[in-house]
Amino acid sequence: MLTTRPSPPAPPHGGARPHKKYLTVSTLGLMTAASIVTSLRGLPMMAKEEMTMFAYIGFSTLLFLVPAGLVAAELGGAFGHRAGGLYVWVGEAFGKPTGFVAIFLTWVQNIVWYPTGLTFAATAAAFAIGRPDLAENNVYVGLFIVVAFCLCTGAALVSTHFASKVTKYGFLLGTVVPGVVLIALCLAWLVTGHAAGWTTATDHAVAVVSHGHSGPRWLPYLTGLSSLSFLAGILLNFAGVESQAVHATELKDAKRGYPVVIMVAAGLSFAIFTLGALAVAGILPYEDIDINTGVFDALTHATTGLVHVGWPVQVLAVLICYGALGGVLAWITGPSRGVLATARDGLLPPFMQKTNKAGVQKNILLVQVVVVAALSSLYLVVDNVSTVFFLISAMAVSLYIIVYMLLYASAVRLRYTQPDLPRAFRIPGGKPGIWLVGGLGFLAVAFAFVLAFVPPAQLPIGSPGLYVGLVAAGAVIFSSAPLILERFKKPSWMPKEAAPEGEGVSADSP
């Protein structure tokens, strides 16, 4: 079992400890919500399913978001005093090497995901400057990603508290406010007698056509697994409820406060995704919904149709760009901090253990910059931005789902191996309750894992074999990397000030 090092001794000569700055429950709740709703980028993908979106969102919420939130609340409340998040949770259940796999994959999938999140920011910036055509320019998108990620990394290097402020206001101003405006525009669009977008759909995937009239389809039209491929991407939109658990130690009362953080984040995420996707589907005709530019197309369509001006879209695009960057920043400061915990347990080379004066994991963040720049080069060689967007998303999904499998399994195992562990929040129902919640969550993500390898019928993927090969290669290579690192780790990697082998990271570590 992992243990923590004792807190450092009091300063000499009777000096007082520096006053610790705590994060409030509301701040961490908004940070966690921002980690889930990193931006409004997922709305067009959901809207593309028209009324069948309710089946996908219901699946994602009831069988994924809720179980993940409950499990994260239990584990976060039990280990809220420990630094490391998933590393500690999974490590306590299955041992330090498996914990290392979990936090490593969380970190890597984020690196893989960053370009998709920043693709949306690039689209927002294009609309903000009145050049929406740039959103489909692969060279512009690739270069924007690299520059924007460097700026986000610079903000993260200042301090965790600075990053949390940028994230908090980015979520409010760049995600919540535009989301509310989008929903209001949809209501105005319908009230003024305009036809709802979903009434114009004739595609059998989302509509039922009878006697020349079409009506919305409420359940997915199943013609094969390829017709469900978007489920994996939609599921990823709801991922991240556990990502800010590494900051639980920065709450004044982590064991009581962290479960509330989870509830706040889950409620906000569900409301924004459901209402926002419905707004896009209500404003735009089905054939006009683009998974990359759909949000801005809906805003443009509504404002020009209702008030005959387009400048409000540019203002909203500036806010949305800020929100997307804030969402990326929320992820930069989370999983990478968990990786720092593994580095200080001697599982990564000394280079990865370095922090700056603010205690931020500077070299880990710099490694992220290099990898993101390499991944962004895909945009320079593939013309179809939407295809690259979905391919990278699928790679991220496959990695992240492995993490969630470990998360659910850890919650079940710890009920047996550490039944008396104090838990501020405990999933009700005893062992049957934890099996029900953890089992449902595990089965849901296992199904989504299979779908991640199926090319979607809705996009021009090209060679299905190449698509499956790239996603599979990513899953195998990145899953094997932490096991190889753990196998060949050297005693010299253990920090000199660290505790003996077998001990974990101090809760007081930066």
Side-chain angles (χ1 to χ4, degrees):
M1 184 177 72
L2 295 171
T3 58
T4 55
R5 299 200 297 270
S7 299
H13 310 300
R17 293 182 186 278
H19 176 67
K20 182 175 181 179
K21 293 182 179 179
Y22 291 103
L23 292 175
T24 64
V25 168
S26 61
T27 294
L28 188 54
L30 289 173
M31 286 177 65
T32 305
S35 298
I36 302 171
V37 191
T38 52
S39 65
L40 302 178
R41 72 177 180 86
L43 300 186
M45 184 180 292
M46 297 180 193
K48 194 71 174 174
E49 296 298 335
E50 297 292 350
M51 293 299 99
T52 65
M53 77 172 73
F54 289 104
Y56 290 98
I57 293 175
F59 179 95
S60 300
T61 303
L62 297 178
L63 299 182
F64 177 69
L65 181 60
V66 170
L70 292 173
V71 167
E74 177 167 321
L75 297 178
F79 300 105
H81 61 290
R82 303 271 297 279
L86 278 165
Y87 172 53
V88 173
W89 303 353
V90 178
E92 286 285 347
F94 297 107
K96 188 187 297 184
T98 309
F100 179 42
V101 170
I103 195 65
F104 186 89
L105 288 182
T106 303
W107 178 54
V108 169
Q109 80 83 23
N110 274 285
I111 295 178
V112 174
W113 168 85
Y114 289 134
T116 67
L118 289 170
T119 296
F120 186 69
T123 301
F127 274 82
I129 62 175
R131 288 288 308 276
D133 58 295
L134 287 177
E136 300 299 332
N137 185 306
N138 55 314
V139 176
Y140 158 77
V141 172
L143 294 176
F144 181 95
I145 290 171
V146 175
V147 173
F149 192 73
C150 288
L151 292 175
C152 288
T153 300
L157 286 169
V158 175
S159 74
T160 298
H161 286 277
F162 175 76
S164 71
K165 289 181 180 180
V166 175
T167 298
K168 175 180 178 180
Y169 292 109
F171 175 65
L172 291 173
L173 296 175
T175 300
V176 175
V177 170
V180 170
V181 171
L182 177 62
I183 294 167
L185 285 172
C186 179
L187 291 175
W189 182 263
L190 299 177
V191 168
T192 53
H194 291 83
W198 56 74
T199 64
T200 65
T202 57
D203 192 306
H204 287 290
V206 295
V208 178
V209 181
S210 178
H211 303 294
H213 299 283
S214 64
R217 187 183 294 276
W218 295 91
L219 294 176
Y221 182 57
L222 301 180
T223 58
L225 286 180
S226 62
S227 60
L228 289 174
S229 291
F230 270 10
L231 175 60
I234 291 173
L235 197 73
L236 184 65
N237 287 325
F238 285 86
V241 70
E242 82 299 331
S243 66
Q244 297 301 320
V246 291
H247 295 307
T249 55
E250 297 174 54
L251 291 171
K252 193 168 186 178
D253 186 354
K255 290 193 174 183
R256 293 184 181 274
Y258 192 69
V260 179
V261 166
I262 296 298
M263 288 187 286
V264 169
L268 283 172
S269 304
F270 175 81
I272 292 172
F273 279 139
T274 304
L275 297 176
L278 196 60
V280 173
I283 295 172
L284 289 178
Y286 175 73
E287 62 273 11
D288 292 342
I289 298 177
D290 183 276
I291 66 170
N292 186 34
T293 64
V295 169
F296 307 98
D297 293 335
L299 290 170
T300 302
H301 198 59
T303 53
T304 54
L306 292 171
V307 294
H308 310 294
V309 293
W311 64 263
V313 177
Q314 291 181 265
V315 175
L316 289 169
V318 172
L319 295 177
I320 291 172
C321 184
Y322 172 39
L325 295 177
V328 168
L329 181 57
W331 279 98
I332 287 177
T333 59
S336 62
R337 196 165 178 81
V339 172
L340 177 65
T342 70
R344 291 186 167 178
D345 265 355
L347 295 173
L348 288 173
F351 173 81
M352 303 288 278
Q353 301 168 16
K354 302 296 184 182
T355 58
N356 62 14
K357 293 181 180 179
V360 178
Q361 51 281 9
K362 60 178 183 179
N363 287 353
I364 292 176
L365 297 188
L366 292 178
V367 169
Q368 290 185 167
V369 171
V370 174
V371 178
V372 167
L375 283 172
S376 300
S377 64
L378 282 173
Y379 283 94
L380 303 180
V381 296
V382 179
D383 292 336
N384 193 308
V385 172
S386 293
T387 298
V388 178
F389 180 94
F390 193 86
L391 174 60
I392 295 178
S393 295
M395 293 174 66
V397 167
S398 66
L399 298 175
Y400 210 6
I401 285 176
I402 296 173
V403 174
Y404 276 103
M405 290 179 180
L406 292 173
L407 176 69
Y408 291 127
S410 296
V412 174
R413 180 172 172 78
L414 285 170
R415 282 290 188 93
Y416 289 87
T417 59
Q418 299 187 42
D420 299 323
L421 177 71
R423 294 168 169 86
F425 171 81
R426 183 184 292 265
I427 294 174
K431 290 179 180 177
I434 191 66
W435 272 104
L436 177 63
V437 173
L440 282 176
F442 189 94
L443 291 174
V445 295
F447 180 57
F449 184 74
V450 174
L451 293 179
F453 294 88
V454 180
Q458 299 93 328
L459 289 177
I461 292 300
S463 170
L466 179 60
Y467 176 90
V468 174
L470 287 173
V471 176
V476 172
I477 292 172
F478 289 124
S479 297
S480 303
L483 297 176
I484 295 172
L485 283 169
E486 203 281 331
R487 173 66 179 80
F488 292 101
K489 68 180 180 181
K490 298 179 180 179
S492 60
W493 291 3
M494 180 66 71
K496 294 181 180 179
E497 71 276 11
E501 178 69 24
E503 297 189 355
V505 177
S506 168
D508 296 293
S509 296

